[in-house]
Amino acid sequence: MPQKTENLKEKKSRPSWKWRLVVWIFNLCVLMGVVVAAYVMTIYLRMPSLDSILHETRAPAIIFLDKNGTEIRSANRIMGTPVSVENLPPFVWQAIVAIEDKRFFEHGPIDIRGITRAAISNAVRGTLASGGSSITQQTAKNIFLSREKKMSRKVQELILSYWLENRFDKNQILDLYMNRVSLVGGMRGIDAASRVMFQTGANNMTLAQAAQIAAMLKAPTTYSPLKNPEKNIARARVVLTEMVRQGYITLNQARVAAQSLRPATAAPDTNIYRYWTDFVMDEINSRVGAPESDLLVHTTLDMKLQEHVAATLSSHVGDYQGAVVAMSHDGAVRAMSGGADYQSSQFNRVLAARQPGSAFKPVVYLVALENGMTPDSMVNDSPFAIGDYNPKNYNARYYGDITLATAFAKSVNSVPLKLTETFGIDSVLNMAGRLGVGTSLRREYSTVLGASEMSLMDLTTIYAVIWNNGQSVRPYSITKITDPMGNVIYERNPSEPIQILAPQTVEYMSDLLANVIAAGGTGHRAAASGVLGGKTGTSNNNRDAWFVGANGNYVIGVWIGNDDFTPMSSKITGGTIPAEIFHDIVK
């Protein structure tokens, strides 16, 4: 009997299996909670600083502006101009909220109702067509800029979503979203998308355009107004319908906007400016060093002239290469094409050293004019040699006694050599130095006929001095550099020009250059209304063909040749394709 009582006590003190199950489940939950907490903490500790994520560093953007302040193109720009709910037309952000997260201003970091609705919809359809991410969650994704489909990635997203909601108000989160969302070409922000799609900033978008941008948010490529305009327009109509339902716009406003939905037009090809902007980039580095913040670079470029120059060059060069530079008489570079096609070759031939041939001869004639000769002075064109150097005229014909003007117009070779013998080669080299291009010239008689290499930019500068009334010219491409707030970082402050050539010398040389494009001159194909004059040049074996001329606004240099220095057709001289390119640019 006592033993039975003892067994009963023992039985009563032993927990039932139900209680043990409850305890086991509780312990398991605690353990799972600890594991999950540890996992979340590990993921959190591995995250970079949230502040550093938010204030992401990037290469400074450089925006190039033409002479009128119009944007040419940009470099390193991965984000558009920052926008905010406060400075945008309301319908821009309303379109985004209406289609992406209509309860955005009501729920917390996660839209539980939206997630539940999406889950039910997906279950019914048997697909994953519907998502439930809030704008806050999408902002977290955009900030992380990672597309990894891992659990750790989702945990980071949730952590950041709660952090964003605790630190910022809804308008600020929406600002972050609009400025970070990736929609086109690796660029981020609705402003960047608007500029690419509609060639206008986000603050200037119409209601229809805002709906088309919002339509892209679901799947940027699938609903792109450039690549899939029909799908984009169809979804933009859905956006407008949602905006009506949520009271953002009236039905009539939606109807008007729907009628103006159009496929987007791709932004103009900016490759025609790339030789120029590459050139300016080097100037930026020399003026202000490596940029530490975004820069607005005000340049001297004339966009219409640049487009015309690029098209004209491409239409003439054929199987050869070419280059054109146009500058104002004072040296402001207005257009530059360093090749026929930037995509196929980024080498800027405006800056390449080549033999200028007879295009160098004005330097010699300037020496003669400064020493008392005039265009009417008589000279003798006949075979002439300096040691073993005995170049012949291009057509192997000699004219005997002729005027200086005729010798220049027909580009004979013996006369500049004889002038050099008379006045000394040092006088020629000194003249080149005064004109700004003498440092790399060889002290040889072949230099007189253009055997010493120089760039098209340098050669054109020589002629610019003449047409700048004999005053010094230093080519320039930048007038001012500012930050986005308008603070001036660099501003051109030109010194007073130096009088290089006397007025009489300039007048005589201008007459000589005018004769070149007259009937019978080597550059007659360049003649057009308003042209002041010019000079042809052709190097040995037709490896280089040049023409430099001017009208009342510009001095324009043209070069044609092969990059590998192989000869062109014997029919191509400075008086053919280069002169024709010049003519077609200025006519």
Side-chain angles (χ1 to χ4, degrees):
M1 192 69 178
Q3 186 176 358
K4 188 175 181 180
T5 304
E6 191 175 305
N7 288 338
L8 287 171
K9 288 181 178 179
E10 185 178 330
K11 193 173 182 179
K12 287 182 179 179
S13 64
R14 185 183 303 164
S16 68
W17 67 269
K18 293 181 180 179
W19 175 253
R20 290 198 301 271
L21 179 61
V22 170
V23 172
W24 183 83
I25 292 174
F26 174 77
N27 290 335
L28 179 62
C29 290
V30 171
L31 179 62
M32 290 178 63
V34 171
V35 171
V36 170
Y39 177 75
V40 171
M41 182 59 67
T42 301
I43 298 301
Y44 179 80
L45 292 175
R46 289 180 179 176
M47 289 174 61
S49 163
L50 297 180
D51 282 322
S52 69
I53 295 171
L54 192 64
H55 302 99
E56 165 194 27
T57 58
R58 58 176 175 80
I62 299 175
I63 297 93
F64 300 91
L65 309 175
D66 76 350
K67 67 184 183 70
N68 298 317
T70 302
E71 183 174 331
I72 302 169
R73 64 178 304 273
S74 60
N76 301 330
R77 180 188 274 179
I78 62 171
M79 300 175 73
T81 301
V83 298
S84 72
V85 170
E86 294 181 357
N87 62 27
L88 283 173
F91 57 73
V92 175
W93 62 263
Q94 289 167 353
I96 293 171
V97 171
I99 197 65
E100 287 298 299
D101 189 356
K102 63 182 179 182
R103 297 184 59 253
F104 172 65
F105 293 101
E106 301 169 17
H107 62 66
I110 301 171
D111 183 6
I112 302 297
R113 188 189 303 179
I115 292 174
T116 303
R117 183 176 60 250
I120 294 172
S121 176
N122 291 336
V124 171
R125 297 180 184 180
T127 66
L128 294 176
S130 299
S133 294
S134 66
I135 284 179
T136 304
Q137 288 175 273
Q138 294 181 54
T139 303
K141 292 177 185 178
N142 294 331
I143 290 177
F144 273 108
L145 299 176
S146 171
R147 297 184 179 181
E148 292 180 312
K149 294 183 178 181
K150 294 181 179 180
M151 180 60 71
S152 60
R153 169 69 176 75
K154 194 67 177 177
V155 172
Q156 288 178 327
E157 176 191 311
L158 292 174
I159 293 172
L160 187 56
S161 296
Y162 277 92
W163 180 79
L164 287 171
E165 290 269 352
N166 284 324
R167 177 161 182 178
F168 301 107
D169 63 34
K170 289 289 188 177
N171 284 352
Q172 291 172 321
I173 293 172
L174 188 53
D175 291 349
L176 284 171
Y177 178 72
M178 292 189 295
N179 288 316
R180 295 296 185 91
V181 64
S182 180
L183 294 175
V184 57
M187 298 178 68
R188 282 177 274 149
I190 63 170
D191 183 78
S194 178
R195 292 179 187 278
V196 172
M197 302 295 178
F198 308 118
Q199 291 79 62
T200 187
N203 58 340
N204 292 320
M205 280 195 293
T206 64
L207 174 56
Q209 291 168 343
Q212 289 185 266
I213 292 293
M216 297 175 65
L217 297 171
K218 183 176 182 179
T221 301
T222 302
Y223 294 100
S224 167
L226 281 173
K227 298 179 179 179
N228 295 298
E230 292 182 1
K231 288 185 176 181
N232 174 267
I233 290 173
R235 184 160 175 79
R237 293 180 185 276
V238 175
V239 173
L240 293 170
T241 299
E242 286 298 320
M243 293 179 74
V244 173
R245 286 177 178 172
Q246 296 169 44
Y248 288 129
I249 58 175
T250 66
L251 181 59
N252 186 59
Q253 287 175 311
R255 286 173 175 168
V256 172
Q259 291 174 356
S260 61
L261 295 171
R262 297 286 187 276
T265 303
D269 179 15
T270 60
N271 277 332
I272 62 172
Y273 307 109
R274 290 295 298 275
Y275 291 112
W276 167 252
T277 55
D278 287 354
F279 172 74
V280 174
M281 186 67 78
D282 291 338
E283 285 288 299
I284 294 170
N285 292 334
S286 68
R287 298 295 182 189
V288 299
E292 297 179 357
S293 62
D294 291 353
L295 299 179
L296 275 72
V297 183
H298 299 256
T299 77
T300 57
L301 188 77
D302 183 318
M303 289 180 69
K304 289 185 178 180
L305 179 62
Q306 175 66 29
E307 293 168 5
H308 181 48
V309 163
T312 303
L313 179 64
S314 297
S315 67
H316 279 77
V317 295
D319 295 331
Y320 303 116
Q321 264 297 352
V324 176
V325 64
M327 63 178 71
S328 299
H329 294 190
D330 71 341
V333 182
R334 301 300 186 190
M336 175 185 289
S337 280
D341 179 24
Y342 185 87
Q343 281 188 308
S344 62
S345 172
Q346 291 78 53
F347 178 59
N348 191 344
R349 295 156 188 85
V350 170
L351 309 177
R354 305 284 298 218
Q355 291 185 340
S358 295
F360 182 79
K361 290 177 181 176
V363 177
V364 183
Y365 281 80
L366 284 170
V367 173
L369 294 172
E370 278 200 340
N371 281 276
M373 297 188 73
T374 72
D376 295 327
S377 297
M378 297 302 297
V379 290
N380 181 263
D381 177 33
S382 58
F384 183 80
I386 300 290
D388 295 333
Y389 185 61
N390 57 348
K392 298 176 173 57
N393 285 341
Y394 180 78
N395 57 8
R397 176 183 175 185
Y398 294 93
Y399 297 93
D401 291 335
I402 53 177
T403 63
L404 196 70
T406 301
F408 190 83
K410 294 187 177 298
S411 199
V412 301
N413 286 334
S414 69
V415 170
L417 289 170
K418 292 177 180 178
L419 293 174
T420 300
E421 184 182 48
T422 300
F423 300 113
I425 191 168
D426 287 334
S427 296
V428 174
L429 297 178
N430 288 338
M431 175 60 74
R434 287 163 55 192
L435 297 170
V437 297
T439 57
S440 61
L441 300 179
R442 295 188 294 275
R443 193 177 183 280
E444 302 171 355
Y445 269 80
S446 62
T447 293
V448 172
L449 301 184
S452 286
E453 294 81 3
M454 64 174 54
S455 70
L456 180 61
M457 179 70 81
D458 286 344
L459 184 64
T460 307
T461 301
I462 290 175
Y463 288 80
V465 173
I466 298 168
W467 280 301
N468 195 39
N469 299 315
Q471 294 184 332
S472 59
V473 172
R474 295 188 65 181
Y476 64 98
S477 59
I478 299 172
T479 56
K480 184 170 62 174
I481 300 174
T482 69
D483 64 17
M485 303 301 294
N487 298 310
V488 177
I489 298 171
Y490 162 81
E491 189 163 16
R492 182 174 180 266
N493 183 24
S495 57
E496 287 295 319
I498 301 170
Q499 193 69 39
I500 302 297
L501 303 172
Q504 185 67 72
T505 302
V506 171
E507 181 181 347
Y508 285 153
M509 178 51 68
S510 299
D511 291 341
L512 295 182
L513 293 168
N515 288 337
V516 171
I517 64 169
T522 58
H524 64 90
R525 296 189 189 187
S529 176
V531 173
L532 302 177
K535 183 70 182 75
T536 60
T538 309
S539 66
N540 287 340
N541 298 316
N542 301 82
R543 288 185 170 87
D544 305 274
W546 312 71
F547 186 86
V548 185
N551 62 10
N553 297 317
Y554 308 113
V555 182
I556 301 172
V558 183
W559 168 86
I560 296 294
N562 289 316
D563 287 340
D564 60 2
F565 293 89
T566 54
M568 297 182 290
S569 164
S570 60
K571 295 181 180 180
I572 296 179
T573 65
T576 58
I577 295 177
E580 292 165 0
I581 291 173
F582 173 88
H583 170 272
D584 288 353
I585 290 173
V586 303
K587 70 178 180 180

